[in-house]
Amino acid sequence: MNGNWKYIEQRLGHTLGRSIRFKKITPVDGGCINQAWHVIDQDQQSWFVKSNHIDLLAMFEAEFQGLSALREARCIRVPKPILYGVISHHCYFIMEYIHLSGRPQQALAGEQLAKLHCVQVKQYGWIMDNSIGTTRQCNQQQHKWINFWKYQRLRFQLDLALHKGLARKHYQKGFELSERLEEFFTDYQPQASLLHGDLWGGNIAYDRSNQPVIFDPAVYYGDREADLAMTELFGGFGKTFYASYHEYYPIDEGYEVRKNLYNLYHILNHFNLFGGGYGAQSGKMIEALLSEIND
Ligand code: ADP
């Protein structure tokens, strides 16, 4: 960013309607995709700034909209997005900085996520595509959840994976699975809930008042089980989180099987992003899911 901070100061000042001078700029680690900084201005106000190559501007636009949608729901604390834009070959994104140094209050996080999932609409999908990692996530709105998951989630990642070298046998089984999705939904009709969309343990933290904060979303309206499944994928969410979620909004018992269907999307995406053992892991998950409906 080096020579670009003056311009970003000006843009932020223009948006806020007051003069801004950055006094301290500190890199922040922990992101998977972007460079990030904690910036403090002349009034000791903190800002969180992310930057990447200009080609990823649409990703910031979608993140801005996603954070805005989650904030409007007023269920869980979400950083306020301020502005995004382009400077030379970079795009940048400025949002409220939140000190994420609090103690986990998992029960509260579970309850607040359940409340978020009570925000429901009629159609699955969202107003725009966004990204899952750096992979495009399609969100074309539609009324049939099974079709949504089949074409815009499972098949999208499967086709990309074939292109990236997924073993053909895994692809074929995955395709068969995508043709039989109805069998996982025989007596379950998901609601179109507002989802974070990328809710692994690295995208939730606690502010200085120990309030849960969620960030870096891949928002869409879909089956809340997809969000819950992802919380289980890489850990970080404890028993009290789930107990509290279930108390507020009980889940269907078929979740235990469907969660693997939902996490398959993320494992395929990991194969598409990182390759390696995620291909074989996807193959195993597909086999296990098919065995559930072959019994
Ligand atoms: P990336 O888009 O590269 O994955 P993140 O949005 O996940 O980056 O941010 C990287 C890290 O910065 C997070 O893991 C979190 O610790 C911290 N962080 C994210 N958003 C904020 C914020 N608004 N205020 C303070 N810290 C933040």
Side-chain angles (χ1 to χ4, degrees), residues 28-36 48 50 63 79 95-100 202-203 215-216:
V28 175
D29 295 329
C32 302
I33 296 165
N34 304 293
Q35 274 191 289
F48 186 71
K50 297 208 235 192
E63 184 171 350
M95 68 182 87
E96 169 192 14
Y97 183 91
I98 301 178
H99 290 272
L100 299 172
N203 284 344
F215 42 88
D216 205 15

